Each structure stands twice: as C-alpha cells, then as structure tokens.
Amino acid sequence: MKDDLILLAHGGGGLLTQELVEEIMLPAFKNSALAARDDGALVQISGTELVFSTDAYVVKPRFFPGGDIGKLAVCGTVNDIAVCGAKPLYLSVAFIIEEGFSRRELSEIVASMAQAAKEAGVQIVTGDTKVVERGNVDGLYITTAGIGQRLPGITVSGSLAKAGQDIILSGSLGEHAMTVMAQRHGLTLPEEIRSDCAPLNGVIEELLQAVPQISVLRDVTRGGLATTLHEIAEQSGVTLTIAEEAIVVHPAVRAAADMLGFDPLYLANEGKFLICVESTYSQRVVDILQQHAKSGDASIIGTVGNGLPGRVVLKTLVGGERILDMPLGDLLPRIC
Amino acid sequence: MQMLTAEETGRAAARLTAEIKKLAGGRTIRIMEVCGTHTVAIFRHGIRQLLGDAVELISGPGCPVCVTPANYIDAALACAKQPGVILTSYGDLLRVPGSRESLAEAKAQGADVRVVVSPLDALAIARQEPQRKVVFLAVGFETTAPTAAAALLSARQAGVENFLLLSAHKTVPPALRSLLTQGACLDGLLLPGHVSAVIGLAPYRFLVDEFALPSVVAGFEALDILTAIRALARQIAAGRAELENQYRRVVLPQGNPQAMKILLDVYQPVDVEWRGLGLLKESGLVLRPAYQVYDASLVLQLKTQPAVEPKGCCCGLVLQGRMQPAQCPLFARECTPLKPVGACMVSREGACSAWYNYGKRGEGA
C-alpha cells in the first residue's frame, strides 16, 4: 500500500522523479528518441529534423517578480527546444482552469504569454481549454508543447561530454526559486532579485553559430545546477568537477536560501544554462555570453574528467572536496 | 564578520588546517559536533577531507528530527486523522517514519498536512480557518522553542482558540550530560551556535567543571568551524579544558534573556524519550498548566504508544557518537535517503543522510 502512493516528492525532479520515470514511463513508452533523455526529443518527419518538447506548469504564486505562470510556460518550452540545438518555431498550449477563476487574471496571463512568444520569435498556433469543478485544480495549470527545427551542423546532447572539456555556466544561481519561495513564505528580498525567467533561444542560437563545436547544452531548471550536472555525468559516463569559487550566487539569494535550509546548487532557475565544450573554445563562449544581459555573469566553472562515471565533485572555497548527489525530491524548508 | 574574497578564504583555511594538524601532533583528535547544521556544514565545505587523520569528527545528537521518537510521529498522525484537524509542520518532519507510516504518506492519502516555515504561519492558518483545529508540530531545541511559545502567546492575546501545539521540544545540555555520563570517548566538543545564542554559555559550564572536556561554541561558516576546531586543538595540546566562545558576533555570554524568559514562562521541563538516547531527565519542554488549553495532546486526547524502533537500525548508536554511519549494517543498503529506515537518514541534517549525500556512502567522507 505504502509503495503504491505518489508523494509530492515524486514531482520534485530528483531521485524520486527519476525512479518514477524509469519504472513506469520509460518501459511503457520505449523508443530511441525518448531513451536519449535530453530536454526535448530529436525526431524526423520526411527527412526534416525537428526537436519536440513539452512541459506542464503549476507554479504558485502565479505572479512573481520577473514573471508569471504564462511567461514561464512559454520560456520553459522554448528553452528546452533551444538547448537541443534547434530553433523553436511553434508552440501549443493547454489550459486547465478552475471554475470561478478570474477572467481578468486569465487575460493578464495570456497577454504575458503572447509577449514572451513575441520576444522568443515563436507562434502559439494551437491550444485547448478545459474548465474543471471548483476544488479540482488549484486555480490554473498550463501545459505547453513546442517544435523547432534543428540548426544545421549542430549536434548537442547530454551524452556528449568528454574528458578535457570545460564546463561553462551562463550566470548566477537560484534567483527564480528564491523569488517564488520568498513570496510563498512571506520573506522580503531586495528589489533587484527577480526570477531569471527568460527565453534563451536568441543567445543560444548566436552561440551555436559562432561555436558549433559545443557538444553539451542543458538548461539548469528544477533540481538546480547539481541535478543538471548529475544528469550529464550519468548520460556521458564522465566525472564533472566544478569549483565553488567560480559559481555566482547573489548574496541575498544565498542568505534567503540559508535561512530556509536550501543549498543554492539545488535551487531551480528559469534562465540559465550549462555548456560543455573543448577548452580551446571556452573563452570565446564566455566572451559571447558576457555580451548578453541574460548571461553577463557567465564563467568557466569546471572541467570534464574520466574518474568515476556519473560522479560530480565540488571543490570548496576552503580547499575541501564534496560530492554533489542528486536531490531526493522536492525542497522542504527545515527546522533551524 | 569581515567579508573575505575566495582567495583569502582559501588561504585562511589552509593556514588553520596546517595549524590544526601541527597541534594534533600525529594523533587523531576525536571531536563531536553536537549540532546537525554543523554536520551539514562540515560535509558541505569538505572539512573532513581537509583535516584528514588529524581530526575525527563525530556527529552528535543535535538534529531535532533525528532525536524525535517514532511515537511522536504516530501521535501527529493520530492528530491528522481526527476530523476537522489541520496539521502544520516544518518540512523536515514529513518523511520521518513513524511506527507504520510517515506524514508524507498520510498526506498523500488525504490527511490535511501543510508545510510551514514558522509557527506564525500555522497561527495565520488558524485565523483563516476558525472552524478547524490547527496543530503545529513543535519540534526543535532551544532555538525554535521560544518562537513556538511566542506564537502561542500571540494566539492567546488575539483570542485564537483553535491553535494547538504538539510539543516535542528538547533541550541540548541534558543530552550532552547523558552522553558523557555514559562514557562517550571524546577529546572535545563543538557546541551549537544557534542554541547557544539563546541559552548563553552558563548551561555548558558542567562540561569543563565536571567532565574536563574542552568545549567551544562555533558558528557555521567554514572558517568559523575551522577556527573553533583550532581552539579545541590548542586546548587539547596544552592539556586545558575550557569553555570558549568562537562565535562572539552572534552568541553573547548571557544568551538571549528575552527568548529564555518566553521559553521558561510557557514551558516546563519534563523527562522525555529521545530517539536513540532513551529517557533523559528534564530534557523535554511541555506547556505549563496555564497554557494547557493549547496542548494538542490534551485537547485532542492523544494516547501515545511506546515507540517501536525499526529492526536493525543503529540510529541510537550513531546519535551517541558510538558508531559512524557507514558502520551500520543497513547504511546504503536497506537504508538510503530514498527509502530511509532510521531518522538519521531522513533529515538533511541527520548524520547518515549527510554521510550518504556528501560522502557518497562514506567513501571519501
């Protein structure tokens, strides 16, 4: 009976989510595109290579500094397609709305989606609307799916990290998670701390055109940097070593995370991504990223090595080493 | 504290580490960190690996989740299953196994269990839902007990009658006395910064007076911890046993008198069961008679059964510093963060969880 229950932690993006996907979804849906385990699937239709991706959004609160559930729903899918090395083109959207939901609020969210789609250069071309009885959902849930065209000559995948490559992070960590949690728990953050929610396809496309040698691209979302690194280390069978001193975390984000007992390396982001590339190209990548407002804090944070496959190691500020594991499930605020 | 650059921090740490190793003089110093937050900070900064054989760091009974017995979780579950009750809890407690199930499992089956970050959030829920009884699972040491007491006083002042506490608050000094009386083999103690900020230094005096054990109050930054370990190593090398405060920017010798007053006004000490340590004299805090209308165990007439500890679980020995997590036969086999058997694997601040997550099953830890 106990093992039959889905717990909240199964949706947290960590080990429990992985277990659920591996035990229930993957065996049932088995196919090579799914087995690649990237952020989107590479599929072919009549010889054209497309990337196809989907995601569901249940964030609370629905509005937060720097974004809202609608902007998140567009940017999330756009970014998943972009980090697969494709140009996102068309999105679909499905709304599940609770009876009694405000028309005005829905209009605001839809307008925000339209704005985000415009910024990303994609069109929302089809959709669905369902209204369910009061109490059956918490206000509004949104699902988006999208397709994009693979950029010619680009091959990126979480399975292509190789020893000797550098690991580059596009910016500071944790703003999205702490903005949402601060609202949820009534904490006050300085005004400059906002969700980093943003479409990344523009900067990624520019980057891939300038440095087509990039072999791994991953957006750093739920589960944070540690989880993303873990996925890459496992997919590629390599050890990733990163240096704490190279990782940027805004002091206010760090303070709020400390207060709630969260490690910034595990906090969700909505506008950051990771790159693995041969070290010859890494400075060029950083230079391009630093020219964009969304990735001004980009830096080389570590290296890919052989060592133990699947392992992620953090070299700490004081000279120690710490192994970064996958989180179990959802982040829960602690006692003290 | 002066803000140091990454480079300065690295240099200061290297200096402290070298000094600690020199002071250890070729032997291994056994130091217990009492507090779970210290345990996590030590792993997070890679301090064990940094100190090598010079210092063996042993995790003590300072994780409030770990020392909460299973029958408290059972009592909380009994609360949650009563009609009209909303159970509010800090996040850490949700996955702790009771005798049969955890709060997370009860929640998945429909119990109204809500995660809060403060007892004031629970009080706000009580105000919003006056028809229901809102029970706050009051767990923790001297750090959190005054906050729960303050929420209760606010409830009384505002006439909120549906806010209840299920207190499992505990105090740290009796647990230390118990460990030392039972002959824990230690060279020094790293005392908890947050608890000390409330109780001050006097309650630890017995550590040096009666047990001649070097004891240092430490903060939670990597350099705080290394500085406190150096202070212990200096005492040990010189054959001294003194009570030192290396966290002076937060901990005053007299503690926080206002927090202590609230604590003593609202609670009275009683003998309570600690998971792994047994019944410790006057180590628990229950509501004084004047506040019993807010006591969930009385209002909801909860009957607690004796705690059933899971078979083969060595959390007790780990909490007493008599066993390192990786020595437990269940560690990383039957007992993992995914399927925890004992409480030390559940809480992020538990010794077993920290060993597993940061040390990867003990290797390199």
Side-chain angles (χ1 to χ4, degrees):
Chain A
M1 173 67 185
K2 266 166 66 171
D3 287 345
D4 187 49
L5 300 176
I6 302 290
L7 307 180
L8 263 182
H10 281 110
L15 272 176
L16 282 171
T17 308
Q18 199 179 47
E19 184 204 30
L20 204 64
V21 169
E22 280 170 6
E23 288 184 6
I24 298 183
M25 283 75 164
L26 289 184
F29 300 144
K30 214 170 172 181
N31 60 64
S32 60
L34 183 65
R37 306 288 297 272
D38 281 320
D39 288 317
L42 183 63
V43 291
Q44 291 208 4
I45 298 176
S46 310
T48 307
E49 288 191 311
L50 299 172
V51 168
F52 182 33
S53 186
T54 186
D55 217 332
Y57 300 85
V58 297
V59 66
K60 263 198 328 185
R62 287 184 290 275
F63 292 87
F64 44 84
D68 56 74
I69 188 171
K71 182 179 179 187
L72 209 58
V74 170
C75 296
T77 294
V78 162
N79 294 347
D80 280 344
I81 294 169
V83 295
C84 290
K87 185 184 186 63
L89 296 167
Y90 301 107
L91 300 191
S92 74
V93 59
F95 297 96
I96 300 176
I97 310 169
E98 185 182 19
E99 174 188 29
F101 193 77
S102 149
R103 264 181 92 101
R104 184 191 44 75
E105 190 178 329
L106 182 63
S107 303
E108 272 181 60
I109 289 166
V110 168
S112 170
M113 293 182 80
Q115 175 58 36
K118 192 175 167 195
E119 193 187 334
V122 297
Q123 288 184 297
I124 299 172
V125 290
T126 182
D128 183 39
T129 305
K130 295 280 191 303
V131 177
V132 296
E133 282 180 26
R134 190 184 280 270
N136 283 7
V137 297
D138 189 2
L140 171 74
Y141 300 152
I142 301 177
T143 294
T144 50
I147 53 169
Q149 195 161 14
R150 186 143 89 117
L151 297 170
I154 301 297
T155 306
V156 285
S157 166
S159 61
L160 295 175
K162 285 188 189 66
Q165 291 181 332
D166 279 341
I167 307 166
I168 297 163
L169 177 63
S170 73
S172 54
L173 294 179
E175 282 100 344
H176 174 73
M178 287 325 297
T179 304
V180 169
M181 279 190 222
Q183 289 243 314
R184 216 179 277 165
H185 298 302
L187 303 176
T188 310
L189 289 175
E191 263 186 36
E192 71 266 25
I193 306 287
R194 309 165 72 76
S195 166
D196 55 354
C197 170
L200 300 170
N201 54 325
V203 57
I204 286 175
E205 196 174 328
E206 182 186 331
L207 200 60
L208 287 173
Q209 273 163 1
V211 191
Q213 294 82 358
I214 287 172
S215 58
V216 177
L217 259 177
R218 241 321 137 83
D219 58 345
V220 183
T221 53
R222 198 175 48 163
L225 177 66
T227 305
T228 307
L229 289 169
H230 234 277
E231 288 167 357
I232 296 168
E234 279 178 18
Q235 269 181 281
S236 298
V238 292
T239 297
L240 304 180
T241 305
I242 58 165
E244 190 175 18
E245 63 184 356
I247 295 163
V248 183
V249 180
H250 191 288
V253 168
R254 189 177 292 284
D258 269 356
M259 204 182 126
L260 293 171
F262 300 141
D263 183 340
L265 298 178
Y266 289 87
L267 291 177
N269 309 275
E270 289 294 344
K272 302 290 163 14
F273 55 100
L274 259 184
I275 290 161
C276 296
V277 68
E278 297 299 332
S279 53
T280 344
Y281 303 104
S282 37
Q283 196 50 52
R284 185 143 182 237
V285 168
V286 171
D287 289 344
I288 294 170
L289 287 172
Q290 286 180 344
Q291 285 164 21
H292 288 260
K294 290 167 191 165
S295 50
D297 288 329
S299 63
I300 301 169
I301 61 160
T303 51
V304 183
N306 278 326
L308 286 165
R311 179 162 285 202
V312 182
V313 179
L314 175 79
K315 287 197 180 297
T316 70
L317 273 185
V318 292
E321 280 189 3
R322 164 187 156 196
I323 287 158
L324 293 182
D325 227 332
M326 282 276 268
L328 187 71
D330 48 346
L331 298 175
L332 291 170
R334 68 171 180 197
I335 288 179
C336 63
Chain B
M1 192 165 94
Q2 187 193 347
M3 292 298 281
L4 300 179
T5 63
E7 208 176 310
E8 287 167 339
T9 304
R11 272 206 304 272
R15 222 173 23 246
L16 285 164
T17 307
E19 216 179 316
I20 292 165
K21 286 183 175 169
K22 197 172 163 199
L23 286 162
R27 60 172 284 226
T28 300
I29 300 174
R30 283 171 57 87
I31 293 174
M32 175 179 276
E33 83 274 0
V34 174
C35 168
T37 313
H38 274 149
T39 303
V40 171
I42 285 165
F43 278 100
R44 192 185 269 191
H45 299 299
I47 288 176
R48 281 171 182 273
Q49 178 255 0
L50 206 58
L51 294 173
D53 291 337
V55 179
E56 182 184 0
L57 286 159
I58 301 150
S59 305
C63 163
V65 172
C66 303
V67 296
T68 299
N71 59 4
Y72 177 80
I73 304 296
D74 295 342
L77 288 163
C79 274
K81 286 173 183 173
Q82 290 200 15
V85 169
I86 300 171
L87 204 65
T88 58
S89 170
Y90 294 120
D92 317 38
L93 274 186
L94 256 66
R95 295 180 45 247
V96 179
S99 302
R100 282 166 298 280
E101 62 180 342
S102 68
L103 293 169
E105 285 156 355
K107 180 171 157 64
Q109 290 175 78
D112 196 345
V113 180
R114 303 186 194 178
V115 173
V116 291
V117 291
S118 149
L120 291 172
D121 295 346
L123 179 56
I125 296 172
R127 285 166 176 272
Q128 285 158 11
E129 308 224 25
Q131 307 308 319
R132 300 174 69 185
K133 290 195 167 51
V134 176
V135 178
F136 176 66
L137 299 185
V139 170
F141 297 115
E142 290 93 331
T143 334
T144 47
T147 327
L152 185 153
L153 293 176
S154 301
R156 189 167 76 159
Q157 202 177 8
V160 179
E161 289 170 358
N162 60 328
F163 175 71
L164 303 174
L165 292 187
L166 188 62
S167 176
H169 284 305
K170 293 180 173 57
T171 52
V172 168
L176 297 180
R177 179 177 284 284
S178 159
L179 284 179
L180 297 176
T181 309
Q182 288 170 37
C185 180
L186 299 172
D187 297 311
L189 273 179
L190 212 54
L191 294 172
H194 294 146
V195 166
S196 308
V198 175
I199 68 174
L201 300 181
Y204 300 124
R205 187 60 61 194
F206 73 95
L207 296 170
V208 288
D209 290 349
E210 295 176 37
F211 296 95
L213 189 65
S215 304
V216 176
V217 175
F220 299 95
E221 300 295 328
L223 294 182
D224 283 330
I225 293 171
L226 286 170
T227 306
I229 293 174
R230 180 184 60 180
L232 284 170
R234 279 178 176 165
Q235 287 195 39
I236 294 161
R240 290 184 284 123
E242 286 163 19
L243 177 59
E244 277 183 62
N245 180 9
Q246 285 289 342
Y247 197 29
R248 283 187 292 272
R249 66 182 190 276
V250 171
V251 176
L252 300 173
Q254 71 275 24
N256 180 339
Q258 204 185 349
M260 279 308 286
K261 184 178 181 315
I262 293 180
L263 187 148
L264 294 170
D265 281 352
V266 172
Y267 306 102
Q268 62 188 20
V270 286
D271 303 349
V272 289
E273 183 85 19
W274 291 52
R275 199 188 286 237
L277 301 183
L279 191 75
L280 301 188
K281 207 166 164 47
E282 301 205 326
S283 65
L285 296 171
V286 295
L287 296 175
R288 289 188 181 277
Y291 299 101
Q292 283 176 351
V293 289
Y294 299 100
D295 189 331
S297 60
L298 298 175
V299 174
L300 300 175
Q301 299 179 330
L302 300 174
K303 289 185 184 64
T304 46
Q305 304 294 322
V308 182
E309 295 298 337
K311 216 172 163 186
C313 172
C314 297
C315 279
L317 293 171
V318 170
L319 289 165
Q320 292 173 54
R322 289 166 181 265
M323 183 187 267
Q324 293 284 33
Q327 294 171 319
C328 170
L330 305 186
F331 182 78
R333 295 180 186 91
E334 289 90 338
C335 185
T336 64
L338 209 55
K339 289 197 186 332
V341 177
C344 299
M345 188 60 95
V346 178
S347 167
R348 246 171 312 163
E349 299 192 354
C352 298
S353 158
W355 273 68
Y356 191 98
N357 287 325
Y358 297 133
K360 193 76 177 179
R361 291 151 212 170
E363 306 159 38

